Amino acid sequence: MKIVAIDTATDDTVVGARDGSEMTFGFAEGPDEKGRPRHSQSVLGAAEAAAGSLGGWESVDRIAVGLGPGTFTGIRIGIATARGLALGTGMPATGFSTLDALSAVPADVGEDNFRLAVIDARRGEAFAALYRADGSPEWPAAVYPPESLCERVAGLGRHVIAGGSGAIRFRDELIRAGASVPGTESGIHRLSPDSICETGAASGSTDPLEPNYLRLPDAQLWLQRDGK
């Protein structure tokens, strides 16, 4: 399978292309110097370059996109890009969980350990899902206050390795709960082109592409708060 995969649910813009088991293109770009994601400036050009590495859109078998959870704006940019590319090229598009892709980033987990993928959800919360060493899910994706997440981790009775922006933000709490959190420079904390390609290739069909926000966006909460 020749696949182009994109994910803009986190602060990073990540795009990859894979032909079978061979990566042909990889792009990962963090926020700008002011901490603002560069999704809208980078994702379409990177996707075009990814398709070019496979011989052009006519050679691509699938477009895959991260459906979240993550930032509301980032998820919408990724899905809109995938929908537009699918409409313009006639290629099928599929969605995948951003937490699944984060858990697929290579790491030395060990046969009897769990892998916790955690994305900073802002508002003092985390998006998280737990995976067994073979990649199969143990807990489904959910949004947690840190104390609830750490309580669940502490109750597992098995070693947990945590990765992602949420693992960095709530590092001290997770360590107190018994989890291991690698240093901030570790690749376990960020999506990679190969992890989104792997997850996208394994995904089933999701048409139409539906975002996985896990909670209401800020704008809707503000409207409810104001009684409108």
Side-chain angles (χ1 to χ4, degrees):
M1 176 187 292
K2 293 185 177 182
I3 183 170
V4 170
I6 65 177
D7 194 295
T8 55
T10 70
D11 286 345
D12 293 339
T13 304
V14 187
V15 179
R18 192 168 80 168
D19 183 356
S21 60
E22 179 186 356
M23 291 294 299
T24 61
F25 178 84
F27 176 87
E29 182 179 57
D32 64 20
E33 63 278 0
K34 294 184 179 180
R36 296 173 299 198
R38 294 185 274 199
H39 305 140
S40 58
Q41 296 96 326
S42 302
V43 66
L44 187 57
E48 292 287 352
S53 74
L54 294 170
W57 286 111
E58 64 276 9
S59 300
V60 176
D61 298 307
R62 174 184 290 186
I63 301 165
V65 60
L67 303 178
T71 67
F72 177 79
T73 301
I75 293 170
R76 290 183 66 84
I77 289 173
I79 291 177
T81 301
R83 285 173 174 165
L85 289 171
L87 182 63
T89 64
M91 294 297 108
T94 188
F96 60 86
S97 164
T98 298
L99 284 169
D100 286 356
L102 183 59
S103 76
V105 174
D108 185 11
V109 177
E111 293 183 0
D112 298 322
N113 297 330
F114 285 125
R115 175 81 170 265
L116 183 69
V118 195
I119 295 172
D120 184 1
R122 279 97 169 167
R123 302 186 203 162
E125 294 179 323
F127 300 124
L130 187 71
Y131 302 83
R132 304 182 187 98
D134 63 3
S136 58
E138 181 73 14
W139 301 343
V143 59
Y144 295 92
E147 58 272 16
S148 298
L149 177 60
C150 291
E151 183 178 349
R152 292 199 72 181
V153 169
L156 283 168
R158 290 172 64 180
H159 187 56
V160 176
I161 298 176
S165 59
I168 294 174
R169 177 171 181 183
F170 300 114
R171 176 186 180 88
D172 292 343
E173 295 94 326
L174 286 166
I175 289 175
R176 285 196 295 269
S180 294
V181 183
T184 57
E185 73 287 346
S186 173
I188 196 174
H189 297 306
R190 302 179 72 175
L191 293 168
S192 65
D194 54 342
S195 73
I196 66 171
C197 285
E198 178 181 345
T199 311
S203 175
S205 176
T206 56
D207 187 19
L209 301 173
E210 294 295 339
N212 183 18
Y213 297 129
L214 286 185
R215 67 181 185 193
L216 294 176
D218 289 338
Q220 190 168 344
L221 289 175
W222 295 335
L223 287 172
Q224 291 179 351
R225 180 197 63 191
D226 295 339
K228 297 180 181 178

